[in-house]
Amino acid sequence: MKLAEYIWIDGTDPTPLIRSKTKVLHDDEEPPLWGFDGSSTNQAEGDNSDCVLKPVTVTTDPIRGGSNILVLCEVYNTDMAPHKTNTRAKCAVTAQQFQGEECWYGLEQEYTLLGENNYPLGLDQDKVNGRLSQGDFYCSNGANRAFGRQIAETHLYCCLQAGLKISGINAEVCPGQWEFQVGPCNPVEAGDHLWLARYLLERIGERFEVEVSFSGKPLSGDWNGAGCHANFSTKQMRENYDACIAAAEALGNNTAEHIKNYGHGIEDRLTGEHETCSHEEFKYGVSDRTASIRIPWQVAKDQKGYIEDRRPNANCDPYVVTRLITKSVCGD
């Protein structure tokens, strides 16, 4: 026998939560359709509460080990139409529409580890009130600066064991804040792997009795927020710099829709300070971390490559982000 952990995204507003439950399967059994009570996940009413789980991505389970598996699912209604909260289905349609563009994504997921009193690890009230300021923590080392490394590295190893396309980790600017990167992936795979990596991070946080926050601004004041920067390229961009410029300009044509769908509380993070561009402004530039879209210096030097959309919040839905970027750039 083996254990299959069915994982799905719920309907909590404004930021969906990750849900999961366990099904016991025979060793040679493929994960079947399953169901759940949608009235308990903000996805249905009590008088018509059944929702359907449709497996879409299966990986090994690094938490339980052995032959056990993780089963990422899409949510469907009982008539087998995609549920309104199923953003993956919409992303898949867009990815199929523009598959000839060969879109690649690399997502930089920042997160904050919260300890006692919901302060980031390494902080307390006195330090928040001025006895400690950010600046020494980015890519840091040492017990007095790199808070939560055991969690970040355990997460890295678990993602690798699960076969996820995780490509690195680093400590971030705010204490107790870390980042992992997923990619390169196609638009749908980027979302799949990011959601599974988020699930694993929350499970590891349980072991350490630490809360994982994906809030875009977990600590108010003069502290960096947390984003999910989206690095993006098409086949043409990977061969031609003019296509990179055209993509950056295309992303400025519908900024309101992007800001609206890049994560709850984004206005608190995109203020024009702390390595952000204001949500009320759009600009792009080479090596510019105060821009909405950064063009890496090496891309400008090589005259080909990719661009980085720095606007998405840490709590964004990656299926929505990759769908909007793909549509905005390739549709134009």
Side-chain angles (χ1 to χ4, degrees):
M1 308 299 285
K2 64 184 178 185
L3 303 180
E5 191 70 13
Y6 278 59
I7 301 163
W8 73 98
I9 314 307
D10 80 354
T12 300
D13 185 59
T15 302
L17 302 175
I18 303 171
R19 307 279 184 150
S20 70
K21 62 177 184 173
T22 306
K23 190 174 187 65
V24 179
L25 302 176
H26 293 286
D27 286 334
D28 59 352
E29 186 179 0
E30 293 296 319
L33 293 177
W34 205 12
F36 67 94
D37 171 15
S39 68
S40 296
T41 63
N42 300 299
Q43 288 167 298
E45 299 297 330
D47 60 355
N48 187 22
S49 61
D50 286 340
C51 292
V52 179
L53 293 174
K54 179 182 177 181
V56 291
T57 299
V58 179
T59 74
T60 57
D61 184 346
I63 301 293
R64 288 175 168 145
S67 62
N68 303 305
I69 56 176
L70 303 178
V71 184
L72 182 66
C73 300
E74 286 188 15
V75 177
Y76 281 74
N77 300 316
T78 54
D79 63 359
M80 294 312 296
H83 192 274
K84 64 181 180 180
T85 61
N86 183 349
T87 57
R88 185 185 190 275
K90 295 177 183 178
C91 181
V93 170
T94 299
Q96 176 67 27
Q97 181 181 0
F98 297 108
Q99 64 176 338
E101 302 290 341
E102 299 183 23
C103 298
W104 290 358
Y105 284 89
L107 303 180
E108 304 174 24
Q109 176 68 71
E110 295 178 340
Y111 60 93
T112 309
L113 300 173
L114 303 181
E116 295 182 5
N117 300 318
N118 280 333
Y119 283 115
L121 293 186
L123 286 181
D124 57 30
Q125 184 64 59
D126 289 338
K127 293 175 181 176
V128 170
N129 287 338
R131 292 176 56 187
L132 181 69
S133 61
Q134 64 181 0
D136 296 334
F137 308 102
Y138 174 69
C139 295
S140 62
N141 300 281
N144 64 332
R145 292 187 296 152
F147 307 111
R149 183 183 298 278
Q150 282 185 300
I151 295 173
E153 295 217 345
T154 300
H155 176 248
L156 171 63
Y157 297 139
C158 283
C159 287
L160 291 171
Q161 290 169 17
L164 303 182
K165 291 185 176 179
I166 190 167
S167 49
I169 64 170
N170 59 269
E172 268 299 334
V173 177
C174 183
Q177 187 183 78
W178 292 79
E179 173 186 299
F180 64 88
Q181 302 92 36
V182 166
C185 302
N186 67 46
V188 176
E189 184 183 48
D192 289 351
H193 286 222
L194 193 72
W195 277 117
L196 284 168
R198 286 174 172 176
Y199 165 79
L200 288 173
L201 184 58
E202 289 191 338
R203 286 292 305 275
I204 292 164
E206 291 177 18
R207 290 185 175 183
F208 288 87
E209 298 184 350
V210 168
E211 179 184 351
V212 179
S213 171
F214 295 110
S215 170
K217 190 70 173 178
L219 192 64
S220 61
D222 190 21
W223 303 91
N224 270 37
C228 186
H229 303 157
N231 299 281
F232 166 76
S233 71
T234 62
K235 185 176 186 295
Q236 190 175 12
M237 291 167 65
R238 295 189 291 273
E239 298 173 350
N240 184 287
Y241 187 64
D242 288 341
C244 296
I245 298 297
E249 293 180 345
L251 288 172
N253 291 334
N254 193 11
T255 58
E257 183 179 10
H258 285 260
I259 294 297
K260 179 181 177 181
N261 290 283
Y262 271 7
H264 175 66
I266 195 168
E267 297 86 358
D268 295 330
R269 175 176 147 265
L270 298 186
T271 62
E273 299 180 348
H274 305 110
E275 300 180 76
T276 70
C277 182
S278 169
H279 63 92
E280 298 178 328
E281 181 184 2
F282 178 86
K283 63 178 181 176
Y284 67 89
V286 175
S287 205
D288 187 354
R289 283 180 166 78
T290 71
S292 312
I293 309 296
R294 180 179 68 93
I295 301 173
W297 70 270
Q298 191 167 2
V299 172
K301 179 176 181 294
D302 294 342
Q303 292 291 287
K304 60 182 179 180
Y306 67 97
I307 61 176
E308 177 194 44
D309 189 340
R310 297 180 55 79
R311 296 171 295 175
N313 248 15
N315 59 6
C316 70
D317 181 338
Y319 297 130
V320 174
V321 170
T322 61
R323 176 177 63 83
L324 287 176
I325 294 176
T326 300
K327 183 178 177 181
S328 292
V329 174
C330 300
D332 290 343

